Amino acid sequence: MLTPRRLVSAEMLDEPDAPLDDVDRSLRDLRMINHYGGGVRIYRRLVRIFSPGSILDLGTGTSDLLESVPQVRLRVGMDFKIEHLVYIRTPGIHKVVGDARRLPFRDESIDLVTSAHFLHHFSPGENVAMIDDALRATRMGVAINDTRRHYVPLIVVLLAGLFRLVGRITRFDAPASVRQGYTLDEAREIARKTRCARWQVRRAWPFRFALLLWKR
């Protein structure tokens, strides 16, 4: 009863003709949400599980999560929109334009592949294929986190939009992201279909989940 039906829709931030001022505000919103909404804390905790020497972050946006793990020697952020990558130039973070479904990296060329608030952009089948390609490129595994599809986070983001706490794009994209997110059981089903050696789905506060997949 507390889980809405999954509803797939395009997000405005991904559109090629989104107004630059609105894009700028939305990227600032995302950084704020990660900072105050627990995204940075969850990301750092997942990275510590693997203790990698190198990370590839898919759908990295402005790479604010990579900024939070300066102890990792090699940090690479990949996104399909160059506008997001050049929003902030952070020393020590290498940025690559690319498609997460076809990684331009050799087999076992990176220790850990991560993503945050990215899984919901793809269908279950696309996610299985994307994770399998990430497992090909990684030496250790894949660490994913995203928002659970649930009415509570949906109400929270709708209220944030109602009170104009976020910009125009975020007012549309945040509810869309929650509606097309996955439940814990759906995340487990995706993990079962991948080629990983073992996997784990964990609850994360608030209304998030972590999907951990080990290569060996």
Side-chain angles (χ1 to χ4, degrees):
M1 291 178 62
L2 294 177
T3 305
R5 180 173 60 89
R6 186 167 189 259
L7 180 62
V8 177
S9 61
E11 296 186 16
M12 292 177 64
L13 189 60
D14 297 331
E15 296 298 323
D17 56 351
L20 293 181
D21 287 346
D22 288 335
V23 169
D24 180 86
R25 174 61 193 271
S26 182
L27 294 176
R28 284 189 282 119
D29 288 341
L30 292 174
R31 292 177 69 90
M32 177 188 68
I33 291 169
N34 275 332
H35 182 75
Y36 293 105
V40 169
R41 184 187 67 255
I42 293 167
Y43 187 82
R44 293 179 68 178
R45 188 165 71 237
L46 297 183
V47 168
R48 282 197 300 269
I49 291 171
F50 290 88
S51 297
S54 57
I55 291 179
L56 168 63
D57 186 45
L58 306 180
T60 193
T62 64
S63 294
D64 55 324
L65 296 177
L66 285 177
E67 293 170 12
S68 73
V69 288
Q71 74 277 11
V72 179
R73 293 189 304 275
L74 175 62
R75 294 170 290 167
V76 181
M78 194 176 86
D79 203 289
F80 84 110
K81 296 202 72 173
I82 193 170
E83 299 90 342
H84 300 176
L85 296 173
V86 300
Y87 177 79
I88 289 180
R89 298 181 184 273
T90 307
I93 297 179
H94 305 273
K95 301 190 178 185
V96 177
V97 177
D99 187 340
R101 294 166 295 184
R102 292 180 290 274
L103 296 180
F105 295 91
R106 295 180 179 177
D107 296 359
E108 300 195 356
S109 57
I110 204 88
D111 285 341
L112 177 66
V113 176
T114 65
S115 74
H117 289 286
F118 191 57
L119 200 75
H120 67 266
H121 287 278
F122 304 96
S123 70
E126 288 174 324
N127 277 314
V128 171
M130 182 173 65
I131 290 170
D132 279 343
D133 194 39
L135 288 166
R136 172 196 61 79
T138 185
R139 288 185 284 266
M140 302 173 100
V142 178
I144 294 167
N145 78 84
D146 209 333
T147 300
R148 289 161 48 202
R149 191 173 77 252
H150 195 282
Y151 277 116
V152 170
L154 180 58
I155 291 170
V156 169
V157 296
L158 287 171
L159 287 174
L162 180 65
F163 289 103
R164 295 297 193 268
L165 300 177
V166 293
R168 186 173 69 93
I169 287 179
T170 308
R171 290 198 294 273
F172 175 85
D173 282 1
S177 294
V178 176
R179 290 189 182 104
Q180 61 189 351
Y182 290 98
T183 64
L184 297 178
D185 285 341
E186 290 165 348
R188 292 185 185 105
E189 187 61 26
I190 290 171
R192 288 189 189 101
K193 294 179 179 178
T194 67
R195 298 173 184 170
C196 68
R198 59 189 177 97
W199 57 268
Q200 200 176 86
V201 173
R202 301 183 180 183
R203 292 176 182 268
W205 189 90
F207 288 96
R208 299 196 188 198
F209 67 87
L211 174 56
L212 303 170
L213 307 103
W214 285 267
K215 184 158 186 171
R216 296 180 177 86

